[in-house]
Amino acid sequence: MEYASGGSLATRLGMTVEEAAAVGAQVAGALAALHEAGLVHCDIKPANILMSGDDARLADLDAAYRLPAAETVMPNRGIARTPGYAAPELEAGGMPVPASDVYALGMTLLALIGGRQPGGGDDPALRKVDAGRLRPLIDAMCAQDPAERPTVAQVRAQLLGVATTLPPSPAVQRAGAADRLRRRVAVPLGAALGVAALGVAAVAVAVVLALRDGPGGGPAGDEGSDAAMDAAVDAATAASQDEGPLVANQRTADPCALADASLFRGFGQAYVDPDYGGFDRCDVLIEGEDGGVDVEFNLDLGLAPELAAPARTVDGVGVVEQPPASEGCERHLLSGSEVDGEELTVRVEAKLLEGDPDLCALADAAADHAAARLAEGPLPERSPQPPSWSLAWADACALVDPAVLADQVPGVDAADLEVSFGGFGCDWHSTTEDTWVSLRFDRHQPLTAEDGRLTQLGGRTAAVEQGSAGDNSCTVRVEHHEYRDEWGDPTVELVQVDAGDVPGGETAACRMATALAEDAASRLPG
């Protein structure tokens, strides 16, 4: 078979409207040939469209469905579909028709332009992506009634009128900031000093969904909230009361619902990477003439302290502007939602790799989009859900034996802990020293010597790195399970243990972090 050197379209999410039209026209041409032969593809999506140079190749015909009047060698199998791309008649259990492929191609165009996969089922946020001149066509392609959709020949003709030359292959696009950013630097949950220590400038946009716990508008006992803050929270709370919680299940919520690569098209090539970092985050990686940036959307729990009054509102969500600092730019969004009895925080952090882009412009674009998405209601669940072996289903706090913790961290109270969103991280603090330790789940390229001194803990590959989490600190990473991300790159789920402010310096910190990591490794699921 022909080798498709450009990979699948899953590597090209975040195209311009014109680039998506160029690919879509070729796919429509392939579908026209299939439909003429009496076949419905049934599973059109970016991952099933391969690139060879500038030419698109429609793959995975194993799912194709033979229409009743067509003759084929193989009998039909069960109806294949991918939630988020599948037409409503397929989701309802109906039989495929050519118009079903038209619907899936429309959703594929939205994913290519919007920079992310649909969240499973109907995705209102993706449907509202700025599709420019393609908006009327895509709306027609994604009509609920198959009879109201255009034919693939009509789709191809309109797409050709918008199409332009395709950009370089993903291998070229990702050779810059994307590949460098995927070799992540660790910032501990318990300290905010890792970024400055590593010389990485950052712009943080913290999206805070404030729960009215106390009479002053913030957590119980907070008397510093002013009238503007109260009004913003009241308005957001009232707007969300009829929508239900923004997050029904912390472990399955999809943070990528807040991300949109098309927001940053003016800066450069951008794409959403759902396998970047922990399970509580989603990143947009950008490579532009002014530098490389990682925009991180991070779900969290807890109200950011000392917020000023909102400077503006977006769809009823208050936007708080923090004064620009030398290390970046920060925004907070205020809405009302309770998640398992605690307030939900969404932090958006854009990390600058190089160059001199307008960080506050990126922060405002990310904040305004996230605010509008939050105002729409509940976040969708990940699609597909993580496999059964994944740490997404594990409890980070349960991986540490309280006896081992007490033996390693003087003055610690194992029951006094801070739990991160989804139980994907846990923090402890000594009551007699400044020492702190944290354990969190992460996703990373397979560990190498660049990550520290390689060793084995509990029969698993591990890396020990001194000083990466601030003064007198150490970071230990332990591989849990290797898999391939949506681009086919090797990726590992891992447990990261950080220890900081440890008396005795980095050597003592590494002894502490290694002992805790080894104990956690012994409790990892098989």
Side-chain angles (χ1 to χ4, degrees):
M1 296 179 67
E2 176 188 359
Y3 172 58
S5 59
S8 78
L9 287 188
T11 65
R12 293 199 176 195
L13 302 185
M15 287 183 173
T16 66
V17 170
E18 294 75 17
E19 292 163 356
V23 170
Q26 296 184 60
V27 175
L31 288 175
L34 279 179
H35 294 172
E36 185 177 355
L39 297 172
V40 180
H41 187 281
C42 292
D43 200 17
I44 303 296
K45 59 185 177 183
N48 283 343
I49 303 170
L50 308 181
M51 298 303 299
S52 181
D54 290 339
D55 297 328
R57 300 284 190 263
L58 187 55
D60 196 12
L61 295 176
D62 184 59
Y65 180 81
R66 185 197 70 231
L67 295 172
E71 293 184 3
T72 59
V73 175
M74 296 298 293
N76 283 325
R77 301 183 181 183
I79 305 302
R81 62 183 178 83
T82 297
Y85 293 102
E89 60 269 17
L90 299 187
E91 293 286 9
M95 291 294 102
V97 292
S100 304
D101 283 344
V102 172
Y103 181 98
L105 179 56
M107 292 304 300
T108 295
L109 291 172
L110 286 177
L112 293 176
I113 297 168
R116 69 177 181 85
Q117 309 279 3
D122 191 41
D123 190 336
L126 188 60
R127 284 180 171 272
K128 294 182 180 179
V129 162
D130 182 8
R133 290 182 289 167
L134 290 183
R135 171 49 62 188
L137 174 62
I138 292 176
D139 285 347
M141 295 171 70
C142 295
Q144 292 294 303
D145 185 350
E148 296 179 359
R149 299 171 200 154
T151 66
V152 289
Q154 293 170 328
V155 168
R156 181 174 182 272
Q158 294 193 47
L159 289 175
L160 285 174
V162 180
T164 189
T165 303
L166 293 177
S169 70
V172 175
Q173 294 180 24
R174 296 182 64 202
D179 284 341
R180 292 192 296 272
L181 282 168
R182 287 186 67 83
R183 176 57 61 184
R184 284 179 290 278
V185 292
V187 179
L189 293 177
L193 36 87
V195 171
L198 291 166
V200 181
V203 45
V205 186
V207 184
V208 180
L209 313 183
L211 171 64
R212 293 294 302 276
D213 291 326
D222 178 7
E223 299 178 357
S225 179
D226 57 24
M229 179 73 75
D230 285 346
V233 175
D234 284 339
T237 302
S240 66
Q241 281 178 344
D242 295 334
E243 299 293 336
L246 285 175
V247 172
N249 187 323
Q250 294 182 41
R251 293 189 180 278
T252 59
D254 184 10
C256 288
L258 299 172
D260 186 348
S262 67
L263 296 171
F264 312 105
R265 186 178 298 140
F267 177 74
Q269 292 289 343
Y271 68 94
V272 176
D273 188 345
D275 292 287
Y276 194 79
F279 303 105
D280 53 0
R281 64 183 267 194
C282 184
D283 293 52
V284 176
L285 303 180
I286 314 169
E287 169 77 355
E289 294 182 359
D290 294 330
V293 175
D294 170 18
V295 181
E296 174 187 327
F297 297 78
N298 196 307
L299 300 173
D300 203 350
L301 296 172
L303 183 65
E306 302 178 359
L307 291 179
R312 65 183 186 278
T313 60
V314 177
D315 292 343
V317 177
V319 180
V320 179
E321 297 183 354
Q322 297 290 74
S326 59
E327 67 273 12
C329 188
E330 188 172 323
R331 300 290 183 262
H332 298 261
L333 311 188
L334 304 178
S335 180
S337 181
E338 181 176 344
V339 178
D340 294 337
E342 297 187 64
E343 63 263 17
L344 173 69
T345 302
V346 181
R347 187 182 73 254
V348 181
E349 184 177 12
K351 298 179 180 179
L352 177 64
L353 179 66
E354 60 185 7
D356 188 27
D358 186 344
L359 294 179
C360 280
L362 294 175
D364 284 330
D368 288 356
H369 173 77
R373 176 60 188 85
L374 292 172
E376 293 176 358
L379 299 182
E381 294 191 339
R382 293 187 188 92
S383 180
Q385 288 294 317
S388 59
W389 50 257
S390 173
L391 292 175
W393 309 110
D395 180 358
C397 300
L399 289 182
V400 176
D401 186 337
V404 175
L405 183 68
D407 182 62
Q408 293 296 322
V409 185
V412 72
D413 181 355
D416 184 11
L417 47 81
E418 299 174 15
V419 183
S420 299
F421 184 90
F424 303 139
C426 216
D427 292 337
W428 296 268
H429 297 266
S430 170
T431 59
T432 58
E433 307 282 352
D434 293 330
T435 301
W436 56 266
V437 295
S438 71
L439 184 151
R440 66 183 177 95
F441 301 147
D442 197 6
R443 288 170 293 182
H444 195 283
Q445 292 174 324
L447 297 174
T448 69
E450 294 182 25
D451 299 296
R453 177 177 57 84
L454 295 181
T455 185
Q456 291 283 312
L457 294 178
R460 301 171 184 267
T461 300
V464 181
E465 184 179 10
Q466 292 187 354
S468 62
D471 295 336
N472 300 330
S473 72
C474 186
T475 298
V476 179
R477 302 178 182 91
V478 181
E479 290 187 353
H480 166 58
H481 199 289
E482 181 172 334
Y483 67 101
R484 296 278 176 172
D485 67 12
E486 64 178 275
W487 292 280
D489 293 335
T491 305
V492 293
E493 289 189 3
L494 54 79
V495 172
Q496 176 171 315
V497 176
D498 293 295
D501 293 324
V502 179
E506 293 178 355
T507 300
C510 282
R511 284 198 299 267
M512 179 183 296
T514 299
L516 295 173
E518 187 168 26
D519 180 58
S522 69
R523 289 177 172 76
L524 288 176

